[in-house]
Amino acid sequence: MPENLPFYLKDNFAPTFEEVTATELKVTGEIPRALNGRMLRNGPNPQTGWSSHWFLGDGMIHGVELEDGKANWYRNRYVRTPLFADSGADPIEAIMDLQKSAANTHIIHHAGKILALEEAHLPFALTPELETEGPWDFAGKLNTPMTAHPKTCPETGELLFFGYGIFPPYLTYHRVSASGELVQSEEITVPGATMIHDFNITRNYVIWMDLPAVWDVENMADSGLPIKWDPSYGARLGVMPREGCDADVVWYEIDPCYVFHPLNAYEEGNQIVIDVCRKANVMAARVESPAMLYRWVIDQDKGTVTETQLDDRSTEFPRLNDSLVGLKHRYGYVAGLSDVGPLAERYIKFDLANDSSQVFELGAGREGSEAVFVADPDGSAEDDGWLLSYVFDKAAGTSELVIMDAADLSRGALATVHLPARVPMGFHGSWIPENY
Ligand SMILES: [Fe+2]
């Protein structure tokens, strides 16, 4: 074990090793009674205490169940994949086996299944109590990896996603029906193998982001990731009808950049608007190349893309009301990142209709993860709902689930669920409603 641990293995990024089940959790404030379900979040938690990169640790899910104003339980569980069972396996060799997943990036639900995701392998199904059921390949139909950022269409209920590979096909599109059947797979032609972390959908299109984070195994020794920044690869957005194929993709060149996460995309006439957290260089240190909110507008008539910076703060983990995925949004919620690491010091609510924002500062010694928007089932406005996030309190050495009013972040925490264990910093999560 190196003496100088990298950021992702120390402080509140350090893994936790005990799998805990605790019930009847202590709550400060009042949990909205309409919040009935589970707040689940995934993140890397290397079982050996070591991984060569933040992105490569074994996945651990943390969850809190809320019901009728009470916090019933907290649990944390490893996702038990063949890679977990083969501790110390070479991460490059693991890429060759669709089941050797770290399963550490996101957790979603669709068609009655809860799926832990990581972008180079199959999804893994979990029970609502976070026990691993096993890999899910859509009844034998999925034979590529699945991105950690699929999109559920709020209008059709379809799950749209892709998989990328280091060998051809480099990019494959998949469309799953609302009932969970994989109904379409299409190979998409791109010039080479790149790390494609996320994509976009609108009512009629999917939009690919083919960006110059190029696969290069030689780079593993330098950066811990088999990726190099190669602007000579170029950068392009590809617009494809949702039920279309490779021949239908229209590509638009853009300036080289990297986007881990778009906030959302939507159509306005023949234009497509995409709001993204854009980095100038994927491999540069985060403080040198912070992700900031930008807007791309693709004009399908003129064949052009305009790029406009919307904000100059370091922000990531963008989320919105999921009922507007692919449709016009007004609000976006992001983590305002610290200079010391990819952790939230604040949450920012962007009002994109008024070019304004509202900020909730977590305060000294408090560090947050991605905040997830949960719509109020009785609400009508886009921002009627709550933001839920795991927050670490350094002085106490413990973690909390914090519930904020998404309509008015200035109210601070409406409720705080005090957890009996430390929840390390992680990646993405979802609210899994009571009847999913
Ligand atoms: Fe992500």
Side-chain angles (χ1 to χ4, degrees):
M1 184 90 49
E3 272 184 24
N4 295 317
L5 285 174
F7 80 87
Y8 59 87
L9 294 174
K10 62 186 181 184
D11 303 321
N12 195 39
F13 289 88
T16 182
F17 300 110
E18 196 182 349
E19 293 179 308
V20 174
T21 303
T23 57
E24 297 176 26
L25 307 174
K26 186 180 155 211
V27 177
T28 305
E30 207 163 314
I31 298 172
R33 285 177 177 263
L35 278 173
N36 290 299
R38 301 171 188 93
M39 179 61 223
L40 306 186
R41 204 221 61 202
N42 203 344
N45 195 92
Q47 60 182 308
T48 62
W50 170 255
S51 61
S52 66
H53 193 278
W54 189 31
F55 294 173
L56 299 178
D58 303 294
M60 178 180 273
I61 311 293
H62 298 263
V64 170
E65 181 180 87
L66 305 179
E67 183 186 18
D68 197 24
K70 298 188 300 294
N72 288 344
W73 54 251
Y74 162 79
R75 280 180 167 81
N76 65 315
R77 295 289 184 276
Y78 280 108
V79 187
R80 286 178 158 72
T81 71
L83 184 65
F84 179 85
D86 185 13
S87 163
D90 183 291
I92 298 295
E93 287 176 18
I95 286 172
M96 310 309 287
D97 182 336
L98 278 179
Q99 293 195 14
K100 282 202 166 177
S101 178
N104 64 10
T105 311
H106 202 349
I107 181 162
I108 63 150
H109 71 95
H110 186 258
K113 285 194 181 303
I114 298 173
L115 300 173
L117 304 173
E118 173 250 63
E119 67 198 38
H121 298 88
L122 291 175
F124 276 73
L126 305 183
T127 71
E129 286 75 37
L130 312 185
E131 304 302 330
T132 304
E133 292 181 325
W136 174 238
D137 62 4
F138 296 86
K141 290 185 174 175
L142 180 63
N143 54 17
T144 75
M146 176 174 176
T147 175
H149 289 287
K151 308 283 180 241
T152 303
C153 174
E155 296 185 307
T156 67
E158 289 173 305
L159 187 72
L160 307 179
F161 64 91
F162 64 92
Y164 71 82
I166 55 174
F167 302 108
Y170 296 130
L171 175 61
T172 308
Y173 170 59
H174 302 283
R175 189 164 60 86
V176 169
S177 71
S179 62
E181 188 186 355
L182 200 162
V183 293
Q184 184 184 5
S185 295
E186 304 285 347
E187 292 182 10
I188 307 298
T189 304
V190 289
T194 64
M195 176 176 71
I196 307 174
H197 187 67
D198 203 335
F199 78 132
N200 308 276
I201 71 166
T202 66
R203 181 172 275 151
N204 294 296
Y205 300 101
V206 297
I207 300 99
W208 307 115
M209 299 188 291
D210 185 31
L211 306 173
V214 176
W215 274 83
D216 181 357
V217 171
E218 302 290 311
N219 220 37
M220 191 79 187
D222 289 339
S223 70
L225 271 190
I227 300 290
K228 70 175 177 188
W229 177 244
D230 181 6
S232 71
Y233 179 84
R236 53 199 71 83
L237 304 177
V239 177
M240 184 183 96
R242 277 169 44 165
E243 296 184 17
C245 65
D246 188 32
D248 300 320
V249 182
V250 178
W251 292 100
Y252 298 83
E253 297 295 317
I254 60 172
D255 290 338
C257 65
Y258 197 76
V259 168
F260 279 103
H261 304 118
L263 167 63
N264 195 31
Y266 59 89
E267 295 166 37
E268 278 196 320
N270 268 348
Q271 294 188 330
I272 296 172
V273 179
I274 309 175
D275 289 342
V276 296
C277 290
R278 177 194 184 277
K279 284 170 70 71
N281 175 343
V282 69
M283 297 307 284
R286 197 180 43 74
V287 287
E288 290 165 20
S289 177
M292 294 184 281
L293 192 66
Y294 278 68
R295 172 166 288 184
W296 289 321
V297 178
I298 301 172
D299 189 314
Q300 298 187 92
D301 292 332
K302 295 180 185 163
T304 58
V305 181
T306 58
E307 180 178 275
T308 308
Q309 185 172 353
L310 300 182
D311 194 75
D312 61 4
R313 286 168 284 189
S314 171
T315 50
E316 253 296 355
F317 300 113
R319 298 295 292 249
L320 80 162
N321 185 328
D322 288 331
S323 70
L324 293 173
V325 169
L327 305 173
K328 185 169 184 175
H329 60 278
R330 173 175 174 179
Y331 300 111
Y333 299 88
V334 298
L337 298 191
S338 157
D339 283 345
V340 302
L343 51 88
E345 288 186 329
R346 61 192 65 81
Y347 296 107
I348 302 172
K349 175 187 182 183
F350 287 113
D351 179 345
L352 298 160
N354 283 329
D355 193 21
S356 64
S357 63
Q358 188 181 36
V359 179
F360 170 48
E361 296 285 350
L362 280 168
R366 292 171 63 75
E367 302 172 339
S369 296
E370 175 188 67
V372 173
F373 181 96
V374 185
D376 181 346
D378 301 318
S380 53
E382 178 180 334
D383 57 352
D384 279 342
W386 302 280
L387 281 190
L388 273 61
S389 182
Y390 289 96
V391 173
F392 177 63
D393 188 297
K394 282 167 107 167
T398 56
S399 296
E400 304 161 351
L401 177 65
V402 173
I403 302 172
M404 296 161 271
D405 181 351
D408 184 3
L409 294 190
S410 72
R411 294 179 67 193
L414 301 182
T416 301
V417 181
H418 300 275
L419 306 179
R422 186 174 65 81
V423 177
M425 290 299 155
F427 297 134
H428 304 286
S430 293
W431 174 251
I432 312 289
E434 187 176 29
N435 301 309
Y436 65 90

